């Protein structure tokens, strides 16, 4: 990794009255990365990037983009940083081509408009008015406006909110194409799958604080080393299969437990649990109807580091039920800032 990050946030703090929206947030982004800021709504994500872009005045800490202090001199970073904010809209009657050319006129050395429209699959929509664009097309136009100044760093805030699954995946492909052009991307999202798919590294923010940081695989593997295999056993062989698995749990170091629920047998163990289960069933001539390995996700990371279930739409104080280490139930409260949109 480069010794000089292109984005540096150190001990950032922002309050609204008595509400603390961002509390001692620090991270650094290397050139060419897609770096994620992940967390539920109200966690402090948008306030963080607005301070980084010089759109809000922080109460403490430093924010730098390519060495420029964006709090002290926000104007100096405008040509280096492109921002697609969570809430933005254009006049209903402006066309795609008009909007991109208008924004290009704000910069001394803008990107090539035709090339940009081609990159974002908007060339064929140049004459279409904003009000007539689909949700996915509006998002692509937002990205075009963030990139038209030919920035070296782009902030994409809640890029795929409101899109259908196919449009979301198309947008993910687009983000990777933008990165391939040499743009460093700061991706703000509350979608776990999006962060896991796109981000080289990320921070998880909750209640204004960084609660986890690293690559998605590092964070997921850092929870623990257990793995689970789920099986559907044929009715005729189910009893014999469960017997085999119970003996395996009692004797094999890679198999820790076996549980049945709703016709599914879950076998939990080490990373090698699958290698223990399949040969044992084969030796007993039990052929499962279905075998699946259960992968951990970034949502599991959030639960592990906060002790709470992940509610991407949560904002403000809320109580959820979770289990403590002894298996008892307890009430936990989130104090995410109401005033922060993300």
């Amino acid at each position: 990794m480069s010794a000089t990050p292109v984005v540096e946030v150190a001990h950032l703090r922002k309050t609204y009255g008595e509400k603390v929206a961002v509390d001692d947030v620090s991270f650094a982004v290397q050139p060419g990365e897609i770096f994620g800021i992940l967390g539920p709504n109200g966690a402090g994500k948008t306030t963080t990037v607005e301070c980084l872009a010089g759109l809000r005045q922080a109460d403490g800490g430093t924010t730098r983009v390519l060495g420029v202090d964006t709090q002290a001199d926000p104007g100096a970073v405008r040509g280096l940083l492109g921002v697609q904010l969570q809430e933005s809209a254009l006049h209903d009657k402006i066309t795609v081509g008009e909007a991109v050319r208008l924004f290009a006129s704000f910069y001394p050395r803008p990107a090539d408009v035709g090339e940009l429209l081609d990159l974002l699959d908007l060339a064929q929509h140049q004459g279409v008015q904003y009000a007539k664009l689909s949700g996915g097309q509006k998002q692509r136009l937002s990205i075009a406006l963030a990139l038209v100044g030919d920035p070296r760093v782009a902030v994409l805030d809640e890029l795929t909110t409101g899109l259908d699954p196919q449009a979301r995946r198309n947008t993910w492909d687009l983000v990777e194409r933008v990165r391939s052009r040499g743009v460093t991307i700061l991706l703000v999202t509350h979608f776990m799958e999006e962060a896991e798919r796109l981000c080289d590294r990320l921070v998880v923010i909750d209640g204004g604080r960084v609660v986890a940081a690293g690559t998605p695989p590092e964070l997921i593997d850092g929870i623990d080393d257990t793995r689970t295999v789920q099986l559907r056993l044929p009715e005729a062989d189910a009893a014999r299969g469960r017997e085999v698995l119970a003996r395996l749990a009692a004797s094999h170091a890679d198999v820790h437990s076996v549980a049945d629920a709703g016709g599914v047998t879950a076998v939990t163990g080490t990373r090698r649990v699958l290698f223990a289960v399949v040969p044992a069933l084969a030796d007993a001539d039990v052929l499962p109807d279905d075998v699946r390995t259960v992968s951990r996700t970034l949502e599991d990371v959030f639960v592990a580091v906060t002790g709470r279930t992940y509610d991407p739409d949560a904002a403000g104080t809320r109580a959820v039920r979770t289990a403590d280490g002894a298996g008892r139930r307890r009430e936990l409260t989130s104090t995410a800032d109401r005033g922060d949109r993300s």
Side-chain angles (χ1 to χ4, degrees):
M1 280 195 178
S2 168
T4 307
V6 295
V7 172
E8 298 172 90
V9 175
H11 307 295
L12 182 65
R13 181 178 175 83
K14 176 64 179 176
T15 61
Y16 299 100
E18 294 183 356
K19 290 287 185 181
V20 180
V22 179
D23 188 8
D24 197 31
V25 166
S26 298
F27 59 84
V29 183
Q30 300 295 330
E33 279 192 306
I34 299 178
F35 187 93
I37 300 179
L38 173 66
N41 287 337
K45 306 186 304 297
T46 292
T47 294
T48 297
V49 295
E50 287 178 344
C51 290
L52 176 65
L55 300 175
R56 288 185 187 269
Q57 188 65 43
D59 296 315
T62 59
T63 55
R64 294 183 181 276
V65 174
L66 294 162
V68 176
D69 184 333
T70 64
Q71 291 291 299
D73 191 3
V77 81
R78 298 288 154 77
L80 305 173
L81 180 67
V83 182
Q84 177 263 330
L85 291 175
Q86 181 179 351
E87 296 179 6
S88 60
L90 297 173
H91 192 283
D92 284 350
K93 293 188 180 297
I94 194 170
T95 67
V96 169
E98 289 169 343
V100 177
R101 290 182 179 89
L102 173 64
F103 275 63
S105 71
F106 301 156
Y107 297 93
R109 291 179 296 278
D112 183 281
V113 170
E115 184 181 334
L116 190 59
L117 291 171
D118 284 337
L119 171 70
L120 300 177
D121 298 323
L122 288 171
Q124 67 272 37
H125 304 296
Q126 286 191 64
V128 179
Q129 293 178 342
Y130 183 77
K132 296 180 180 179
L133 297 175
S134 69
Q137 290 164 351
K138 287 179 178 177
Q139 290 293 58
R140 295 205 301 275
L141 178 56
S142 292
I143 299 172
L145 300 181
L147 298 178
V148 74
D150 201 21
R152 293 172 59 186
V153 181
V155 174
L156 305 179
D157 189 2
E158 298 293 2
L159 184 64
T160 60
T161 297
L163 299 186
D164 62 65
Q166 185 57 53
R168 181 171 293 147
R169 282 166 175 75
N170 291 343
T171 304
W172 294 349
D173 291 339
L174 175 60
V175 170
E176 291 175 328
R177 280 156 53 193
V178 170
R179 190 260 291 273
S180 72
R181 291 165 54 91
V183 180
T184 300
I185 295 173
L186 196 59
L187 182 70
V188 181
T189 182
H190 66 267
F191 292 117
M192 295 287 186
E193 184 184 2
E194 182 165 285
E196 198 165 335
R197 155 76 185 270
L198 291 176
C199 296
D200 300 303
R201 293 186 303 123
L202 57 91
V203 289
V204 181
I205 293 183
D206 184 49
R209 297 185 66 87
V210 173
V211 295
T215 69
E218 284 171 352
L219 293 174
I220 292 167
D221 290 344
I223 302 172
D224 60 45
D225 288 332
T226 63
R227 295 291 184 272
T228 298
V229 178
Q230 291 183 341
L231 308 107
R232 287 192 180 274
L233 300 171
E235 190 174 343
D237 298 328
R240 184 155 48 94
R242 284 193 287 269
E243 232 177 82
V244 169
L245 295 173
R247 288 200 300 270
L248 202 62
S251 62
H252 201 294
D254 290 322
V255 181
H256 300 161
S257 64
V258 179
D260 292 290
V264 176
T265 300
V267 185
T268 300
T270 70
R271 293 171 180 267
R272 299 180 59 82
V273 64
L274 181 64
F275 296 157
V277 167
V278 172
L281 291 177
D283 288 344
D285 200 27
V286 176
L287 180 63
D289 291 331
D290 186 44
V291 179
R292 299 184 184 188
T293 56
V294 180
S295 301
R296 291 189 178 275
T297 67
L298 289 174
E299 185 167 344
D300 297 308
V301 173
F302 183 87
V303 172
V305 297
T306 67
R308 296 188 291 105
T309 56
Y310 185 80
D311 182 355
D313 298 319
T317 301
R318 66 187 179 91
V320 295
R321 300 189 69 83
T322 186
D324 64 18
R328 297 184 297 274
R329 309 303 293 183
R330 57 193 172 103
E331 294 287 339
L332 294 178
T333 301
S334 166
T335 56
D337 169 44
R338 286 184 188 276
D340 184 31
R341 293 189 303 277
S342 177

